[in-house]
């Protein structure tokens, strides 16, 4: 199929492009480069041995997007483009609501006007709010603690209503847990411009000596060792989950957790990273980060049963691949 990938030069988008092309699909990438580098395109073309059409377009620019849709007959879209920093969304809510909502509305409006029925949307486990893990797709969503999470819940609503208005649409809403790791080549991975928000890029920066130590945000949670528990999933498993969802699409709105189904604490993650990479990661216990919840992990049954997809890669592989990428970072 010919697939438009918005945000295709970003962390998850770039890995999904590799998986799509490996499965024989052809890809067009749009990205406004607000949180990615054009050099990733050249790496993707090297990794896949394919010319990949790229357009530096902001998905909120609907006229530009219409022009693109009139040039290509897309069979489907995978929509990654959006801001995703939880803390930044609290400081700059309007920027998040404008960008994340308008980009989605602009994109699906093009899909409607050009008869593109297959839509895969990058959602997040954040939409579950304070629901108790293991998190199941049928749960009622609870308010999240941040505008970022609210934009994801609102975009899910927009897509559900789109299908309700026209039942030809085939829509997958993919709720990610905590994607970490990198392509085994070490050529693409999670790049943080400035101080990383997420834990793994922070750990690799400590490993590289760019940061003195990791702040562990609280060790007084009701968890195995008091630190936060999360469902870390290898970004390549996540990428393959997108391909499985796309290829498995049928009319309707289908929600899937993309997680491993098991939780890992911060201290367990540090320990695993140190052991696998034979490196010391100094850390200090600090106060809790506002908005954090104690435990978050998936019930991964539905994707396994309906998509025949399961996260295969281990936490050790995630840590080894993340470290390999950090060590090979060239152009950032
Ligand atoms: C993981 C754990 C922290 C940093 C967020 C978004 C989610 C998704 C993934 C976009 C927590 C602890 C972290 C640090 C720490 N993003 N931590 N020191 O908050 O679970 O999820 O990123 O889709 O939507 O909410 O990820 O990596 O920030 O934190 O101790 O420097 O590591 O408290 O327990 P999070 P995270």
């Amino acid at each position: 199929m010919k697939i438009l990938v918005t945000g295709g030069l970003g962390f998850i988008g770039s890995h999904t492009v590799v998986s799509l092309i490996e499965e024989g699909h052809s890809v067009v990438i749009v990205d406004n480069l607000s949180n990615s580098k054009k050099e990733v395109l050249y790496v993707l073309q090297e990794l896949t041995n394919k010319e990949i059409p790229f357009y530096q377009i902001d998905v909120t620019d609907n006229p530009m997007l219409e022009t693109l849709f009139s040039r290509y007959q897309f069979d489907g879209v995978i929509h990654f483009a959006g801001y995703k920093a939880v803390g930044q969304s609290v400081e700059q809510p309007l920027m998040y609501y404008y960008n994340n909502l308008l980009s989605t509305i602009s994109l699906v409006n093009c899909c409607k006007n050009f008869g593109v029925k297959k839509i895969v949307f990058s959602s997040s486990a954040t939409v579950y709010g304070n629901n108790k893990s293991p998190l199941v797709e049928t749960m009622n969503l609870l308010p999240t603690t941040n505008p970022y999470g609210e934009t994801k819940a609102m975009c899910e609503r927009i897509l559900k209503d789109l299908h309700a208005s026209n039942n030809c649409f085939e829509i997958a809403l993919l709720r990610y847990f905590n994607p970490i790791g990198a392509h085994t080549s070490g050529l693409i991975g999670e790049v943080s411009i400035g101080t990383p928000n997420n834990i793994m890029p922070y750990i690799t920066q400590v490993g590289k000596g760019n940061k003195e130590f990791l702040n562990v945000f609280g060790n007084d949670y009701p968890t195995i060792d008091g630190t936060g528990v999360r469902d870390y999933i290898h970004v390549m498993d996540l990428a393959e989950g997108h391909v499985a969802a796309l290829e498995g699409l049928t009319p309707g709105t289908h929600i899937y957790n993309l997680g491993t189904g098991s939780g890992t604490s911060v201290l367990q993650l540090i320990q695993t990273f140190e052991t696998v990479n034979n490196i010391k990661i100094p850390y200090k216990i600090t106060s809790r980060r506002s908005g954090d919840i104690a435990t978050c992990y998936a019930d991964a049954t539905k994707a396994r049963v309906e998509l025949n997809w399961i996260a295969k890669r281990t936490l050790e592989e995630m840590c080894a691949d993340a470290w390999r990428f950090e060590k090979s970072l060239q152009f950032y």
Side-chain angles (χ1 to χ4, degrees), residues 159-227:
L159 288 163
K160 285 173 190 166
D161 289 346
L162 174 70
H163 172 261
S165 73
N166 176 341
N167 59 16
C168 294
F169 278 105
E170 305 175 17
I171 298 171
L173 308 176
L174 304 183
R175 293 173 179 169
Y176 309 160
F177 284 73
N178 287 63
I180 61 172
H183 189 267
T184 47
S185 66
L187 296 175
I188 51 174
E190 183 173 13
V191 179
S192 279
I193 300 164
T195 300
N197 294 300
N198 292 136
I199 189 162
M200 185 51 89
Y202 205 107
I203 286 176
T204 56
Q205 300 241 348
V206 170
K208 214 168 174 186
N210 299 346
K211 301 283 183 206
E212 199 185 339
F213 55 84
L214 171 75
N215 295 299
V216 175
F217 296 146
N219 68 344
D220 57 351
Y221 285 104
T223 62
I224 186 169
D225 56 23
T227 62

Side-chain angles (χ1 to χ4, degrees), residues 236-264:
M236 283 310 295
D237 278 327
L238 197 60
E240 290 163 10
H242 284 74
V243 179
L246 175 75
E247 293 178 344
L249 276 176
T250 57
T253 307
H254 313 280
I255 301 173
Y256 298 105
N257 287 335
L258 295 188
T260 66
S262 61
T264 301

Side-chain angles (χ1 to χ4, degrees), residues 11 27 30 73 83 137 151 280 298-299:
F11 175 39
V27 170
V30 295
Q73 278 66 49
Y83 297 146
E137 293 88 347
T151 67
K280 198 78 191 113
D299 176 318

Side-chain angles (χ1 to χ4, degrees), residues 2-271:
K2 182 179 288 294
I3 304 299
L4 173 65
V5 180
T6 74
L9 298 185
F11 175 39
I12 301 163
S14 57
H15 288 79
T16 303
V17 163
V18 172
S19 292
L20 283 165
I21 292 172
E22 278 175 355
E23 288 304 312
H25 300 288
S26 63
V27 170
V28 173
I29 294 175
V30 295
D31 199 304
N32 68 1
L33 301 182
S34 66
N35 192 25
S36 55
K37 299 267 184 186
K38 190 170 179 190
E39 286 81 358
V40 173
L41 174 68
Y42 309 132
V43 171
L44 289 177
Q45 292 183 142
E46 181 192 332
L47 278 175
T48 61
N49 197 25
K50 292 276 182 196
E51 276 296 308
I52 305 172
F54 165 71
Y55 298 87
Q56 185 174 347
I57 290 177
D58 190 311
V59 180
T60 61
D61 183 343
N62 190 256
M64 282 297 281
L65 211 56
E66 294 261 342
T67 305
L68 190 70
F69 271 74
S70 61
R71 181 176 303 173
Y72 294 92
Q73 278 66 49
F74 295 122
D75 298 300
V77 302
I78 302 184
H79 182 33
F80 292 104
Y83 297 146
K84 64 165 188 171
V86 169
Q88 187 186 46
S89 78
V90 174
E91 291 155 16
Q92 303 184 59
L94 292 185
M95 185 176 92
Y96 270 69
Y97 284 113
Y98 183 90
N99 184 64
N100 289 7
L101 297 184
L102 198 60
S103 62
T104 302
I105 293 166
S106 167
L107 178 68
V108 297
N109 211 37
C110 287
C111 291
K112 184 168 76 68
N113 294 342
F114 289 86
V116 179
K117 301 291 183 220
K118 294 179 187 290
I119 301 172
V120 175
F121 175 67
S122 162
S123 190
S124 168
T126 307
V127 302
Y128 286 107
N130 256 329
N131 273 296
K132 290 286 164 274
S133 293
L135 297 166
V136 186
E137 293 88 347
T138 49
M139 282 174 165
N140 290 325
L141 302 187
L142 294 177
T144 69
T145 59
N146 56 83
Y148 160 76
E150 290 307 296
T151 67
K152 289 300 182 182
M154 290 175 189
C155 287
E156 288 196 4
R157 177 78 262 171
I158 289 168
L159 288 163
K160 285 173 190 166
D161 289 346
L162 174 70
H163 172 261
S165 73
N166 176 341
N167 59 16
C168 294
F169 278 105
E170 305 175 17
I171 298 171
L173 308 176
L174 304 183
R175 293 173 179 169
Y176 309 160
F177 284 73
N178 287 63
I180 61 172
H183 189 267
T184 47
S185 66
L187 296 175
I188 51 174
E190 183 173 13
V191 179
S192 279
I193 300 164
T195 300
N197 294 300
N198 292 136
I199 189 162
M200 185 51 89
Y202 205 107
I203 286 176
T204 56
Q205 300 241 348
V206 170
K208 214 168 174 186
N210 299 346
K211 301 283 183 206
E212 199 185 339
F213 55 84
L214 171 75
N215 295 299
V216 175
F217 296 146
N219 68 344
D220 57 351
Y221 285 104
T223 62
I224 186 169
D225 56 23
T227 62
V229 169
R230 295 292 185 273
D231 185 335
Y232 297 100
I233 176 172
H234 197 293
V235 64
M236 283 310 295
D237 278 327
L238 197 60
E240 290 163 10
H242 284 74
V243 179
L246 175 75
E247 293 178 344
L249 276 176
T250 57
T253 307
H254 313 280
I255 301 173
Y256 298 105
N257 287 335
L258 295 188
T260 66
S262 61
T264 301
S265 77
V266 173
L267 294 183
Q268 288 171 330
L269 182 65
I270 295 169
Q271 169 91 57

